[in-house]
Every structure is written in structure tokens, then in C-alpha cells.
Amino acid sequence: MAEHASARSERSTIVVTNALAAQQWEMHLASGHIGNGAPAWETPPVLYYAAWLGELWLEHTDERGPALTANQSLALWRRVVAESAESGDLIGHAGAAEWAAAAWTVLHRWQIEPASQRAAAHQDDYRALLGWCRAYRAWLDGNGWIDRAELEAALTRVAAVSSKLVLADLAEPYPSRAKLWTRLAAGGGTIGHGAGPAAAS
């Protein structure tokens, strides 16, 4: 499978899990050239998934511009939590903001719209989360921003998205990612699969 990915790398972008995996794949794909003493070679396009999403969004974006970075998003969540009615009952805001940001991401991955949710009478934490999500949404909409958790869904609504990919060691897709793969295929894109070589440790 690694050879399959290598053969396609000249015309396809190899998409991997994270930045470390991208570095490892680049070294793996270069190892044959290095071993043969090649003075130079074409670097294959290898991107980790979040970076690939960001680049694809910029190719098709409108006036909204690039997505918020992870640090920008977390800073906004901290502000939302700090300005909420629950703020005074919390020991600190950082942990709650990280929890809310992670929950927001999970909801979007599973295509669950926070605005459609309702907390039961005894679900104080969930009620607080939904309130924070509304405030966060208001900040995004009020400033024309988009965050990274929304990119998959946003890209499925773009009129023409086409990309040639080799997915290398990505985990099984959740619903919003699977829908994006379907959208890419419908737009004429191709999606292959590759796996790194086995290594004893």
C-alpha cells in the first residue's frame, strides 16, 4: 500500500492524521531517493488533515477568509465562558473553555446542530454548554468568521470542489468527514488509500 501511495504522490495530495505523521511520510517517500544517492527529487505533496482542510477552504472561500486558528478559537471560547452567567460558579475558565471547544467539535463531526438541542431540567452542564454554543455562534456570525470544526460541512456546500487524494492512515470517517468524501467524489475528485510500512518496535 505504501508503494501505491508513492506512485500516486506526483498527482495526488497525501493526507495524513497530523503534522508528525506528515513529516514521517515525507521521510518515508524520500527514503528510496536518499538510499540511491539522488542529489535532488520532487517533494510529494503531504499535508496533515487540518492543514489540507484549511487549504481547500481557502481555494473556495468567499469574503469569510481563513478559518480561525485553534488558538484563536480557544481564546474566543474563553471569552464566551468568562462572560457567561455561569462564570462566577467556575473555579477557572480555561478548562471549561477547552471542554466546550471539544464538545463543539464533536457535535459538528456528528452533524448535530447545537441550536437544535435542548437540555433537560437536571442537565445543568449541558444547558450551560448550549448557552455557550449560542454565544460562540453569535460571535462567529457577527464577525463573518468560521472555525475549523465547521469546515467539513461548509465545503460540502461549495458548488465545485474537486481534489485528488491519497488518505494515509486516517481513522474511520465520522459523518461530516464521510459526507465531504462523497462531495469530493461527486465533484470529480478521486480518493485512494495508503498505509505506512510495518516497522518493528
Side-chain angles (χ1 to χ4, degrees):
M1 293 297 287
E3 290 77 12
H4 173 66
S6 179
R8 298 185 53 164
S9 64
E10 291 183 1
R11 62 182 185 275
S12 300
T13 298
I14 300 174
V15 180
V16 300
T17 303
N18 52 43
L20 176 59
Q23 293 175 346
Q24 293 171 333
W25 266 91
E26 287 174 351
M27 290 303 298
H28 168 62
L29 294 172
S31 61
H33 301 288
I34 295 172
N36 292 329
W41 57 88
E42 183 178 358
T43 302
V46 180
L47 290 174
Y48 60 95
Y49 185 70
W52 171 77
L53 272 182
E55 286 198 3
L56 190 63
W57 172 250
L58 286 177
E59 290 177 15
H60 299 278
T61 189
D62 50 22
E63 69 279 0
R64 300 179 78 177
L68 297 180
T69 67
N71 286 337
Q72 289 171 331
S73 179
L74 190 56
L76 182 55
W77 277 111
R78 285 196 296 267
R79 179 167 185 172
V80 164
V81 172
E83 294 179 351
S84 69
E86 297 82 11
S87 175
D89 298 326
L90 300 172
I91 296 175
H93 301 147
E98 291 174 3
W99 171 72
W104 173 268
T105 297
V106 171
L107 288 170
H108 280 79
R109 284 182 174 181
W110 289 88
Q111 300 180 315
I112 299 171
E113 175 53 54
S116 69
Q117 299 296 296
R118 297 293 180 270
H122 64 283
Q123 293 178 315
D124 295 335
D125 289 348
Y126 195 45
R127 184 178 303 104
L129 171 65
L130 295 179
W132 298 342
C133 286
R134 286 192 298 272
Y136 187 76
R137 173 86 274 154
W139 272 102
L140 295 178
D141 292 346
N143 292 279
W145 296 334
I146 186 169
D147 83 349
R148 293 176 183 271
E150 302 176 291
L151 287 183
E152 290 161 326
L155 284 165
T156 62
R157 297 189 291 268
V158 173
V161 176
S162 178
S163 190
K164 294 182 179 180
L165 306 175
V166 173
L167 309 180
D169 299 324
L170 281 181
E172 287 296 319
Y174 39 81
S176 64
R177 183 184 287 180
K179 188 173 181 179
L180 178 58
W181 297 154
T182 300
R183 179 69 188 86
L184 290 176
T190 59
I191 300 175
H193 296 272
S201 61

